Amino acid sequence: KEAECQKKETGETIEQLNRGIFEARKSAASAGTGEGIDGLTALPLRHEAEAALAESGRAGSQDYVAVMVLDRLQVLNQRFGRELGDAIVVAFVDMLKKRLNPEDLIFRWGGPAFVALLARPGSLERVRSELGRIMEAKLEHSIETSHRSVLVPIAARWTLFPMMAAPRLIYQKIDTFAAIPTERD
């Protein structure tokens, strides 16, 4: 009897949790975050990026793909909390929006990885130099704890690829670069 009672209680708990998850997803979708937009940064997500990259490859335009991955984001989340990590992500995206051209498309690829589709007529070296100047700009975020104030540098590793006709190849290159662990972790 006791085993049956526990089984019934466990089933009810699981059902309750599933309902809670369903309600949370429903409220997040109705809050305007949408399925194709990141709720934190308001950037389009990976599947939108893949569609834009595929279209660029089909069009044959001279575009470049910038991949940027925030360093130590997971470590900062663990040490100071998710709110700090979210604030760093928002500050980084704001910097990108201000420094890139208005017609450049920025996407949240996933986690700490971001992709920008840059339409540039210049050579790869020229665009790499331009992106290097943007990415080397010093960006910091201040954290107030109960005992002190800490200034956290916001750094990202980045790379640049010329757009290719085969979108799967560029997705693979982005994923490979994003998966490389940082040396400071």
Side-chain angles (χ1 to χ4, degrees), residues 13-90:
T13 303
I14 290 172
E15 188 177 320
Q16 215 173 17
L17 289 171
N18 284 335
R19 264 185 275 148
I21 290 170
F22 175 76
E23 291 299 320
R25 286 182 180 157
K26 195 166 100 176
S27 68
S30 66
T33 56
E35 289 186 34
I37 302 292
D38 178 44
L40 179 63
T41 61
L43 292 177
L45 294 171
R46 179 181 175 139
H47 67 276
E48 298 288 330
E50 288 178 353
L53 295 174
E55 179 58 35
S56 174
R58 276 192 297 275
S61 52
Q62 188 173 358
D63 292 341
Y64 296 92
V65 179
V67 184
M68 299 145 292
V69 180
L70 284 168
D71 286 337
R72 304 175 329 161
L73 186 62
Q74 187 173 5
V75 171
L76 292 170
N77 276 339
Q78 290 171 345
R79 186 164 184 196
F80 297 106
R82 192 173 244 347
E83 294 79 26
L84 170 76
D86 289 351
I88 287 173
V89 167
V90 168

Side-chain angles (χ1 to χ4, degrees), residues 43-44 94-107 116-120 130 134:
L43 292 177
D94 287 345
M95 181 273 300
L96 286 178
K97 287 178 178 177
K98 288 176 186 166
R99 295 193 176 145
L100 290 174
N101 294 341
E103 61 272 3
D104 293 335
L105 302 175
I106 308 169
F107 303 92
L117 183 58
L118 313 173
R120 301 287 191 281
E130 174 192 342
I134 291 169

